[in-house]
Amino acid sequence: MSQAEGRTQGSVGRRTVLGAAALTGAGAALGLGAGPAAAQGGVGRRLPVPAVIAHRGASGYRPEHTLGSYQLAYDLGADVIEQDVVPTKDGHLVCRHENEIGGTTDVAARPEFADRRTTKTVDGVAITGWFTEDFTLAELRTLRAKERIPNNRQRNTVYDGRWGVPTLEDVFRWAARLEEENGRPVWLHIETKHPTYFRHLGLGLEERLAALLRTYDRAGSRATNFLQSFEPSSIQRLARLVSAPGVVLLSGAASRPWDFTEAGDPRTVADLVRPEGLAWIASYAKGLGPTLDLILPRDSTGKLLPETTLVRDAHAAGLILHPYTHRPENTFLPLDYRVGTDPNAYGDTFGWLKRCFETGIDGIFTDVTDQGLLAAADFRG
Protein backbone atom coordinates (compact mmCIF):
# COMPACT_ATOMS: atom_id res chain seq x y z
CA MET A 1 0.00 0.00 0.00
CA SER A 2 9.26 -6.22 2.01
CA GLN A 3 7.01 -8.62 3.49
CA ALA A 4 7.45 -12.38 3.05
CA GLU A 5 5.82 -13.56 -0.14
CA GLY A 6 3.08 -16.10 -0.42
CA ARG A 7 1.25 -16.03 2.89
CA THR A 8 -0.29 -19.41 3.45
CA GLN A 9 -3.97 -19.79 2.78
CA GLY A 10 -4.34 -21.15 6.28
CA SER A 11 -3.19 -17.87 7.80
CA VAL A 12 -5.62 -15.99 5.58
CA GLY A 13 -8.41 -18.26 6.68
CA ARG A 14 -7.63 -17.58 10.34
CA ARG A 15 -7.70 -13.83 9.81
CA THR A 16 -11.34 -12.89 9.41
CA VAL A 17 -12.33 -9.36 8.49
CA LEU A 18 -15.27 -8.60 10.69
CA GLY A 19 -17.58 -6.25 8.91
CA ALA A 20 -18.99 -3.26 10.67
CA ALA A 21 -21.18 -5.62 12.68
CA ALA A 22 -18.23 -6.62 14.83
CA LEU A 23 -16.47 -3.28 15.25
CA THR A 24 -16.18 -1.67 18.64
CA GLY A 25 -13.85 1.10 19.86
CA ALA A 26 -12.32 3.75 17.63
CA GLY A 27 -8.91 2.11 17.47
CA ALA A 28 -10.05 -1.51 17.34
CA ALA A 29 -8.69 -3.90 14.75
CA LEU A 30 -11.24 -5.61 12.53
CA GLY A 31 -10.67 -9.16 13.65
CA LEU A 32 -7.05 -9.38 12.51
CA GLY A 33 -5.75 -12.60 13.98
CA ALA A 34 -9.06 -13.04 15.75
CA GLY A 35 -11.38 -15.97 16.12
CA PRO A 36 -15.06 -16.08 15.17
CA ALA A 37 -17.03 -12.89 15.42
CA ALA A 38 -19.18 -12.16 18.39
CA ALA A 39 -22.95 -12.28 17.96
CA GLN A 40 -23.67 -9.73 15.29
CA GLY A 41 -27.38 -9.09 15.25
CA GLY A 42 -29.37 -7.21 12.61
CA VAL A 43 -28.30 -7.85 9.04
CA GLY A 44 -24.60 -7.81 9.96
CA ARG A 45 -22.34 -10.63 8.84
CA ARG A 46 -18.65 -11.26 8.52
CA LEU A 47 -16.96 -10.33 5.29
CA PRO A 48 -14.67 -12.89 3.68
CA VAL A 49 -10.94 -12.36 3.37
CA PRO A 50 -10.07 -11.14 0.85
CA ALA A 51 -13.29 -9.22 0.29
CA VAL A 52 -14.27 -8.12 -3.22
CA ILE A 53 -15.38 -4.49 -3.41
CA ALA A 54 -17.26 -3.46 -6.54
CA HIS A 55 -15.51 -0.23 -7.58
CA ARG A 56 -18.28 2.25 -8.46
CA GLY A 57 -20.44 -0.84 -8.99
CA ALA A 58 -19.61 -3.28 -11.77
CA SER A 59 -17.96 -0.42 -13.66
CA GLY A 60 -16.05 -2.72 -15.99
CA TYR A 61 -19.39 -3.70 -17.55
CA ARG A 62 -21.79 -0.78 -16.98
CA PRO A 63 -21.37 3.01 -16.72
CA GLU A 64 -20.12 3.72 -13.21
CA HIS A 65 -22.27 4.96 -10.35
CA THR A 66 -25.57 3.99 -11.90
CA LEU A 67 -28.22 1.74 -10.42
CA GLY A 68 -27.48 -0.58 -13.34
CA SER A 69 -23.84 -0.82 -12.29
CA TYR A 70 -24.74 -1.36 -8.63
CA GLN A 71 -27.38 -3.96 -9.45
CA LEU A 72 -25.02 -5.97 -11.66
CA ALA A 73 -22.38 -5.92 -8.90
CA TYR A 74 -24.97 -7.22 -6.46
CA ASP A 75 -26.19 -9.89 -8.90
CA LEU A 76 -22.61 -11.05 -9.49
CA GLY A 77 -22.16 -11.45 -5.74
CA ALA A 78 -19.97 -8.50 -4.71
CA ASP A 79 -19.11 -8.47 -1.02
CA VAL A 80 -19.23 -4.65 -0.91
CA ILE A 81 -20.38 -2.01 -3.42
CA GLU A 82 -18.82 1.47 -3.59
CA GLN A 83 -20.47 4.89 -3.89
CA ASP A 84 -18.75 8.28 -4.26
CA VAL A 85 -20.87 11.22 -3.13
CA VAL A 86 -20.95 14.89 -4.11
CA PRO A 87 -23.66 17.49 -3.38
CA THR A 88 -26.19 19.28 -5.54
CA LYS A 89 -26.87 23.01 -5.31
CA ASP A 90 -29.79 22.27 -2.99
CA GLY A 91 -27.80 19.97 -0.74
CA HIS A 92 -28.68 16.45 -1.88
CA LEU A 93 -25.92 13.84 -2.07
CA VAL A 94 -25.62 12.22 -5.49
CA CYS A 95 -23.40 9.37 -6.64
CA ARG A 96 -20.69 10.62 -9.01
CA HIS A 97 -16.96 10.01 -8.98
CA GLU A 98 -16.39 13.75 -9.41
CA ASN A 99 -18.48 16.87 -9.15
CA GLU A 100 -17.55 17.63 -12.78
CA ILE A 101 -20.12 15.67 -14.77
CA GLY A 102 -19.27 16.46 -18.40
CA GLY A 103 -17.55 13.11 -18.76
CA THR A 104 -20.16 10.95 -17.03
CA THR A 105 -23.49 12.42 -18.21
CA ASP A 106 -25.04 13.86 -21.35
CA VAL A 107 -24.99 17.41 -19.95
CA ALA A 108 -22.70 18.68 -22.76
CA ALA A 109 -25.40 17.79 -25.29
CA ARG A 110 -28.16 19.61 -23.38
CA PRO A 111 -28.55 23.16 -24.76
CA GLU A 112 -30.58 24.30 -21.77
CA PHE A 113 -27.47 23.84 -19.61
CA ALA A 114 -24.88 25.28 -21.99
CA ASP A 115 -24.48 28.39 -19.86
CA ARG A 116 -23.55 26.29 -16.81
CA ARG A 117 -20.20 25.34 -18.36
CA THR A 118 -17.48 27.04 -16.36
CA THR A 119 -13.96 26.71 -15.00
CA LYS A 120 -13.37 26.07 -11.31
CA THR A 121 -10.38 25.27 -9.16
CA VAL A 122 -11.00 22.07 -7.22
CA ASP A 123 -8.29 20.99 -4.78
CA GLY A 124 -5.80 23.25 -6.53
CA VAL A 125 -6.58 22.04 -10.06
CA ALA A 126 -8.38 24.15 -12.69
CA ILE A 127 -11.20 22.13 -14.27
CA THR A 128 -13.58 23.20 -17.02
CA GLY A 129 -16.99 21.61 -17.32
CA TRP A 130 -20.31 21.26 -15.54
CA PHE A 131 -20.49 20.80 -11.77
CA THR A 132 -23.08 19.17 -9.55
CA GLU A 133 -23.07 22.09 -7.12
CA ASP A 134 -24.48 24.30 -9.90
CA PHE A 135 -27.53 22.07 -10.44
CA THR A 136 -30.57 21.35 -8.32
CA LEU A 137 -31.50 17.74 -7.83
CA ALA A 138 -34.51 18.21 -10.10
CA GLU A 139 -32.21 19.42 -12.87
CA LEU A 140 -29.75 16.56 -12.37
CA ARG A 141 -32.65 14.11 -12.56
CA THR A 142 -33.12 15.11 -16.20
CA LEU A 143 -29.57 14.01 -17.15
CA ARG A 144 -28.56 10.54 -18.30
CA ALA A 145 -25.36 8.75 -17.35
CA LYS A 146 -22.73 7.57 -19.83
CA GLU A 147 -19.46 5.63 -19.88
CA ARG A 148 -16.53 7.64 -18.48
CA ILE A 149 -13.69 5.93 -20.42
CA PRO A 150 -15.26 4.90 -23.74
CA ASN A 151 -11.92 4.45 -25.50
CA ASN A 152 -11.04 1.67 -23.06
CA ARG A 153 -14.51 0.21 -22.63
CA GLN A 154 -16.31 0.59 -25.91
CA ARG A 155 -18.86 -2.10 -25.03
CA ASN A 156 -20.08 -0.10 -22.06
CA THR A 157 -21.22 2.70 -24.35
CA VAL A 158 -24.20 0.62 -25.47
CA TYR A 159 -25.68 1.51 -22.07
CA ASP A 160 -25.18 5.27 -22.44
CA GLY A 161 -28.41 7.04 -21.54
CA ARG A 162 -30.05 4.02 -19.95
CA TRP A 163 -29.77 5.21 -16.35
CA GLY A 164 -29.83 8.54 -14.58
CA VAL A 165 -27.75 9.93 -11.73
CA PRO A 166 -28.79 8.25 -8.45
CA THR A 167 -28.87 9.98 -5.10
CA LEU A 168 -27.31 8.23 -2.11
CA GLU A 169 -30.82 8.00 -0.71
CA ASP A 170 -31.86 6.13 -3.87
CA VAL A 171 -29.04 3.67 -3.15
CA PHE A 172 -30.06 3.22 0.48
CA ARG A 173 -33.64 2.51 -0.58
CA TRP A 174 -32.45 0.10 -3.28
CA ALA A 175 -30.27 -1.72 -0.73
CA ALA A 176 -33.10 -1.91 1.80
CA ARG A 177 -35.43 -3.40 -0.80
CA LEU A 178 -32.90 -6.05 -1.78
CA GLU A 179 -32.24 -6.93 1.85
CA GLU A 180 -35.96 -7.34 2.48
CA GLU A 181 -36.47 -9.42 -0.66
CA ASN A 182 -33.40 -11.65 -0.39
CA GLY A 183 -32.33 -11.58 3.24
CA ARG A 184 -28.77 -10.80 2.15
CA PRO A 185 -27.10 -7.69 3.56
CA VAL A 186 -25.94 -5.10 1.07
CA TRP A 187 -22.56 -3.76 2.16
CA LEU A 188 -21.61 -0.29 0.92
CA HIS A 189 -18.31 1.64 0.79
CA ILE A 190 -19.23 5.36 0.75
CA GLU A 191 -16.66 8.03 -0.12
CA THR A 192 -16.85 11.75 0.56
CA LYS A 193 -15.35 13.57 -2.44
CA HIS A 194 -13.54 16.91 -2.05
CA PRO A 195 -15.03 17.54 1.41
CA THR A 196 -12.94 20.63 2.20
CA TYR A 197 -13.85 22.21 -1.13
CA PHE A 198 -17.56 21.65 -0.49
CA ARG A 199 -17.37 22.86 3.09
CA HIS A 200 -16.05 26.17 1.80
CA LEU A 201 -19.17 26.35 -0.40
CA GLY A 202 -21.48 25.78 2.56
CA LEU A 203 -22.23 22.24 1.35
CA GLY A 204 -20.52 20.19 4.05
CA LEU A 205 -20.76 16.49 3.19
CA GLU A 206 -20.29 14.83 6.55
CA GLU A 207 -23.37 16.20 8.31
CA ARG A 208 -25.57 15.38 5.33
CA LEU A 209 -24.12 11.88 5.09
CA ALA A 210 -24.49 11.28 8.82
CA ALA A 211 -28.15 12.33 8.72
CA LEU A 212 -28.87 9.87 5.90
CA LEU A 213 -26.98 7.10 7.67
CA ARG A 214 -29.09 7.62 10.78
CA THR A 215 -32.32 7.70 8.77
CA TYR A 216 -31.53 4.38 7.10
CA ASP A 217 -30.09 2.66 10.20
CA ARG A 218 -26.55 2.66 8.82
CA ALA A 219 -24.85 4.91 11.38
CA GLY A 220 -23.89 2.42 14.08
CA SER A 221 -20.78 0.34 14.66
CA ARG A 222 -22.70 -2.71 13.42
CA ALA A 223 -23.80 -1.03 10.20
CA THR A 224 -23.07 -2.77 6.91
CA ASN A 225 -21.07 0.04 5.39
CA PHE A 226 -17.66 1.69 5.46
CA LEU A 227 -17.08 5.45 5.16
CA GLN A 228 -14.00 6.57 3.24
CA SER A 229 -12.22 9.71 2.15
CA PHE A 230 -8.90 10.94 0.79
CA GLU A 231 -9.09 13.69 3.41
CA PRO A 232 -8.36 12.38 6.92
CA SER A 233 -10.22 15.27 8.53
CA SER A 234 -13.42 14.08 6.82
CA ILE A 235 -13.10 10.68 8.51
CA GLN A 236 -12.30 12.39 11.82
CA ARG A 237 -15.42 14.53 11.46
CA LEU A 238 -17.56 11.52 10.58
CA ALA A 239 -16.18 9.60 13.57
CA ARG A 240 -17.61 12.33 15.81
CA LEU A 241 -21.02 12.07 14.13
CA VAL A 242 -21.56 8.32 13.65
CA SER A 243 -20.00 5.02 14.69
CA ALA A 244 -19.80 3.41 11.23
CA PRO A 245 -16.20 2.42 10.44
CA GLY A 246 -13.97 4.91 8.64
CA VAL A 247 -11.31 4.20 6.03
CA VAL A 248 -8.59 6.69 5.05
CA LEU A 249 -7.76 6.60 1.35
CA LEU A 250 -4.17 7.24 0.24
CA SER A 251 -2.84 8.29 -3.14
CA GLY A 252 0.80 8.31 -4.28
CA ALA A 253 3.60 8.53 -1.72
CA ALA A 254 4.63 12.06 -2.72
CA SER A 255 1.08 13.46 -2.60
CA ARG A 256 -0.56 15.36 0.27
CA PRO A 257 -4.20 15.13 1.29
CA TRP A 258 -5.88 18.36 0.25
CA ASP A 259 -7.05 19.12 3.78
CA PHE A 260 -3.39 18.94 4.86
CA THR A 261 -2.48 21.45 2.16
CA GLU A 262 -5.19 23.85 3.30
CA ALA A 263 -4.27 23.44 6.96
CA GLY A 264 -0.54 23.82 6.37
CA ASP A 265 0.17 20.27 7.54
CA PRO A 266 3.47 19.32 5.84
CA ARG A 267 2.95 15.56 6.03
CA THR A 268 2.73 13.55 2.82
CA VAL A 269 1.33 10.10 2.17
CA ALA A 270 4.88 8.81 2.62
CA ASP A 271 4.69 10.08 6.22
CA LEU A 272 1.26 8.54 6.78
CA VAL A 273 2.36 5.03 5.77
CA ARG A 274 5.18 5.02 8.33
CA PRO A 275 4.34 3.32 11.66
CA GLU A 276 3.74 6.63 13.46
CA GLY A 277 1.44 7.82 10.68
CA LEU A 278 -0.49 4.56 10.71
CA ALA A 279 -0.87 4.76 14.50
CA TRP A 280 -2.32 8.26 14.09
CA ILE A 281 -4.83 6.99 11.48
CA ALA A 282 -5.78 4.07 13.72
CA SER A 283 -6.71 6.52 16.49
CA TYR A 284 -9.87 7.49 14.58
CA ALA A 285 -10.27 5.07 11.64
CA LYS A 286 -10.63 1.33 11.20
CA GLY A 287 -9.02 0.90 7.80
CA LEU A 288 -6.76 2.10 5.07
CA GLY A 289 -7.50 2.33 1.34
CA PRO A 290 -4.12 2.80 -0.36
CA THR A 291 -3.39 2.79 -4.04
CA LEU A 292 -1.95 -0.62 -4.93
CA ASP A 293 1.29 1.15 -5.89
CA LEU A 294 1.95 1.76 -2.20
CA ILE A 295 2.01 -2.00 -1.67
CA LEU A 296 3.32 -3.27 -5.02
CA PRO A 297 5.21 -0.34 -6.58
CA ARG A 298 6.25 -0.16 -10.23
CA ASP A 299 9.25 1.31 -11.97
CA SER A 300 9.08 3.84 -14.81
CA THR A 301 8.39 1.06 -17.34
CA GLY A 302 5.50 -0.36 -15.32
CA LYS A 303 7.44 -3.39 -14.08
CA LEU A 304 6.86 -4.45 -10.49
CA LEU A 305 9.40 -3.57 -7.83
CA PRO A 306 9.79 -5.39 -4.48
CA GLU A 307 6.78 -5.31 -2.18
CA THR A 308 6.73 -2.69 0.57
CA THR A 309 6.02 -3.32 4.27
CA LEU A 310 2.71 -1.43 4.26
CA VAL A 311 0.44 -4.45 4.74
CA ARG A 312 2.47 -5.72 7.68
CA ASP A 313 2.77 -2.27 9.23
CA ALA A 314 -0.92 -1.41 8.81
CA HIS A 315 -2.00 -4.72 10.33
CA ALA A 316 0.36 -4.11 13.24
CA ALA A 317 -1.44 -0.80 13.81
CA GLY A 318 -4.82 -2.58 13.83
CA LEU A 319 -5.95 -1.38 10.42
CA ILE A 320 -7.51 -3.40 7.63
CA LEU A 321 -6.44 -2.72 4.04
CA HIS A 322 -8.81 -2.25 1.10
CA PRO A 323 -6.47 -1.08 -1.71
CA TYR A 324 -7.58 0.21 -5.11
CA THR A 325 -8.01 -0.51 -8.03
CA HIS A 326 -7.85 -3.78 -9.94
CA ARG A 327 -8.70 -3.37 -13.63
CA PRO A 328 -8.16 -6.15 -16.19
CA GLU A 329 -7.14 -4.14 -19.26
CA ASN A 330 -3.45 -4.18 -20.20
CA THR A 331 -3.18 -0.41 -19.93
CA PHE A 332 -3.93 -0.60 -16.20
CA LEU A 333 -1.84 -3.68 -15.36
CA PRO A 334 1.81 -3.92 -14.34
CA LEU A 335 4.08 -4.79 -17.24
CA ASP A 336 4.57 -8.25 -15.71
CA TYR A 337 0.90 -9.13 -16.29
CA ARG A 338 0.18 -7.61 -19.70
CA VAL A 339 -0.68 -9.94 -22.57
CA GLY A 340 -0.19 -8.88 -26.20
CA THR A 341 0.03 -5.33 -27.45
CA ASP A 342 -3.58 -4.13 -27.41
CA PRO A 343 -3.80 -1.75 -24.43
CA ASN A 344 -7.54 -2.35 -24.08
CA ALA A 345 -7.38 -6.16 -24.21
CA TYR A 346 -7.47 -8.17 -21.01
CA GLY A 347 -4.11 -9.16 -19.57
CA ASP A 348 -3.36 -11.81 -16.94
CA THR A 349 -6.06 -10.52 -14.64
CA PHE A 350 -6.14 -13.61 -12.41
CA GLY A 351 -2.38 -13.70 -12.05
CA TRP A 352 -2.37 -10.07 -10.94
CA LEU A 353 -5.21 -10.61 -8.46
CA LYS A 354 -3.38 -13.59 -6.98
CA ARG A 355 -0.24 -11.52 -6.54
CA CYS A 356 -2.27 -8.80 -4.83
CA PHE A 357 -3.91 -11.29 -2.47
CA GLU A 358 -0.53 -12.82 -1.61
CA THR A 359 0.42 -9.56 0.10
CA GLY A 360 -2.17 -10.23 2.82
CA ILE A 361 -4.62 -7.44 1.97
CA ASP A 362 -8.10 -7.74 3.44
CA GLY A 363 -10.00 -6.79 0.31
CA ILE A 364 -9.61 -5.11 -3.05
CA PHE A 365 -11.52 -2.63 -5.16
CA THR A 366 -12.12 -4.03 -8.63
CA ASP A 367 -14.03 -2.90 -11.71
CA VAL A 368 -14.81 -6.53 -12.62
CA THR A 369 -16.67 -8.11 -9.73
CA ASP A 370 -16.85 -11.63 -11.18
CA GLN A 371 -13.11 -11.83 -11.80
CA GLY A 372 -12.40 -10.63 -8.27
CA LEU A 373 -14.77 -13.21 -6.77
CA LEU A 374 -13.28 -16.08 -8.78
CA ALA A 375 -9.73 -15.08 -7.86
CA ALA A 376 -10.64 -14.66 -4.18
CA ALA A 377 -12.30 -18.08 -4.10
CA ASP A 378 -9.24 -19.65 -5.72
CA PHE A 379 -6.95 -17.94 -3.24
CA ARG A 380 -8.99 -19.06 -0.24
CA GLY A 381 -8.97 -22.57 -1.63
Side-chain angles (χ1 to χ4, degrees), residues 122-124 192-200 206 228-238 240 247-251 255-269 272 280-281 284:
V122 181
D123 296 358
T192 58
K193 302 292 297 191
H194 311 298
T196 295
Y197 168 83
F198 285 119
R199 185 162 295 278
H200 289 331
E206 294 84 3
Q228 56 178 339
S229 183
F230 279 100
E231 296 188 19
S233 63
S234 185
I235 299 304
Q236 290 175 311
R237 187 181 295 272
L238 282 165
R240 294 191 291 268
V247 174
V248 174
L249 300 171
L250 298 176
S251 189
S255 67
R256 289 170 70 195
W258 183 251
D259 54 341
F260 283 20
T261 299
E262 293 235 341
D265 188 328
R267 288 177 296 172
T268 66
V269 167
L272 295 182
W280 175 74
I281 290 172
Y284 58 87

Side-chain angles (χ1 to χ4, degrees), residues 330-361:
N330 279 320
T331 191
F332 302 117
L333 293 173
L335 184 64
D336 317 55
Y337 295 94
R338 296 173 194 168
V339 177
T341 59
D342 182 352
N344 298 316
Y346 282 3
D348 182 8
T349 181
F350 292 112
W352 174 227
L353 281 164
K354 180 176 182 291
R355 180 66 191 94
C356 293
F357 294 153
E358 285 172 346
T359 67
I361 58 176

Side-chain angles (χ1 to χ4, degrees), residues 3 6 28 32 42 75 102 105 185 256 259 263 280 292 332 348 362 368:
Q3 137 181 356
L32 299 175
D75 291 342
T105 73
R256 289 170 70 195
D259 54 341
W280 175 74
L292 279 165
F332 302 117
D348 182 8
D362 303 288
V368 282

Side-chain angles (χ1 to χ4, degrees), residues 31-100:
L32 299 175
Q40 298 171 57
V43 296
R45 66 165 174 84
R46 290 185 302 238
L47 289 172
V49 177
V52 174
I53 305 161
H55 184 235
R56 311 175 196 172
S59 56
Y61 305 122
R62 301 289 188 271
E64 66 190 31
H65 290 314
T66 60
L67 288 177
S69 183
Y70 299 150
Q71 183 67 49
L72 181 58
Y74 176 85
D75 291 342
L76 290 170
D79 299 310
V80 191
I81 303 171
E82 186 199 29
Q83 295 74 43
D84 298 324
V85 296
V86 293
T88 64
K89 182 178 182 179
D90 46 351
H92 296 274
L93 297 183
V94 294
C95 298
R96 293 287 88 189
H97 176 56
E98 293 292 342
N99 53 324
E100 198 292 302

Side-chain angles (χ1 to χ4, degrees), residues 124-372:
V125 179
I127 302 170
T128 299
W130 291 261
F131 298 83
T132 59
E133 64 267 27
D134 296 332
F135 291 77
T136 65
L137 178 59
E139 289 172 330
L140 277 181
R141 291 282 197 197
T142 69
L143 302 179
R144 309 306 293 172
K146 68 176 186 178
E147 173 57 34
R148 182 178 61 87
I149 48 174
N151 291 335
N152 300 113
R153 294 175 175 164
Q154 299 94 333
R155 292 181 179 179
N156 284 15
T157 62
V158 73
Y159 301 103
D160 285 358
R162 189 169 186 87
W163 296 286
V165 176
T167 65
L168 184 60
E169 191 164 17
D170 291 338
V171 174
F172 285 167
R173 290 170 175 165
W174 164 81
R177 176 178 57 79
L178 288 175
E179 289 175 346
E180 183 176 356
E181 291 175 355
N182 303 321
R184 171 185 158 200
V186 179
W187 281 79
L188 306 175
H189 225 304
I190 305 164
E191 180 183 346
T192 58
K193 302 292 297 191
H194 311 298
T196 295
Y197 168 83
F198 285 119
R199 185 162 295 278
H200 289 331
L201 297 180
L203 292 169
L205 299 177
E206 294 84 3
E207 293 79 8
R208 289 171 169 81
L209 175 54
L212 282 175
L213 291 167
R214 288 190 288 267
T215 296
Y216 287 90
D217 196 24
R218 286 182 168 271
S221 61
R222 295 172 179 259
T224 53
N225 44 244
F226 299 92
L227 310 178
Q228 56 178 339
S229 183
F230 279 100
E231 296 188 19
S233 63
S234 185
I235 299 304
Q236 290 175 311
R237 187 181 295 272
L238 282 165
R240 294 191 291 268
L241 296 170
V242 296
S243 300
V247 174
V248 174
L249 300 171
L250 298 176
S251 189
S255 67
R256 289 170 70 195
W258 183 251
D259 54 341
F260 283 20
T261 299
E262 293 235 341
D265 188 328
R267 288 177 296 172
T268 66
V269 167
D271 297 310
L272 295 182
V273 297
R274 295 189 179 106
E276 57 271 26
L278 294 170
W280 175 74
I281 290 172
S283 70
Y284 58 87
K286 305 297 192 299
L288 202 66
T291 172
L292 279 165
D293 289 344
L294 291 174
I295 300 172
L296 293 166
R298 311 178 193 186
D299 66 17
S300 59
T301 71
K303 187 173 178 60
L304 286 178
L305 295 169
E307 180 183 336
T308 72
T309 64
L310 180 54
V311 175
R312 183 190 67 194
D313 294 343
H315 283 168
L319 295 164
I320 62 164
L321 284 99
H322 288 168
Y324 66 92
T325 302
H326 164 258
R327 293 181 169 110
E329 294 88 358
N330 279 320
T331 191
F332 302 117
L333 293 173
L335 184 64
D336 317 55
Y337 295 94
R338 296 173 194 168
V339 177
T341 59
D342 182 352
N344 298 316
Y346 282 3
D348 182 8
T349 181
F350 292 112
W352 174 227
L353 281 164
K354 180 176 182 291
R355 180 66 191 94
C356 293
F357 294 153
E358 285 172 346
T359 67
I361 58 176
D362 303 288
I364 194 167
F365 285 84
T366 178
D367 288 3
V368 282
T369 305
D370 53 337
Q371 294 177 23

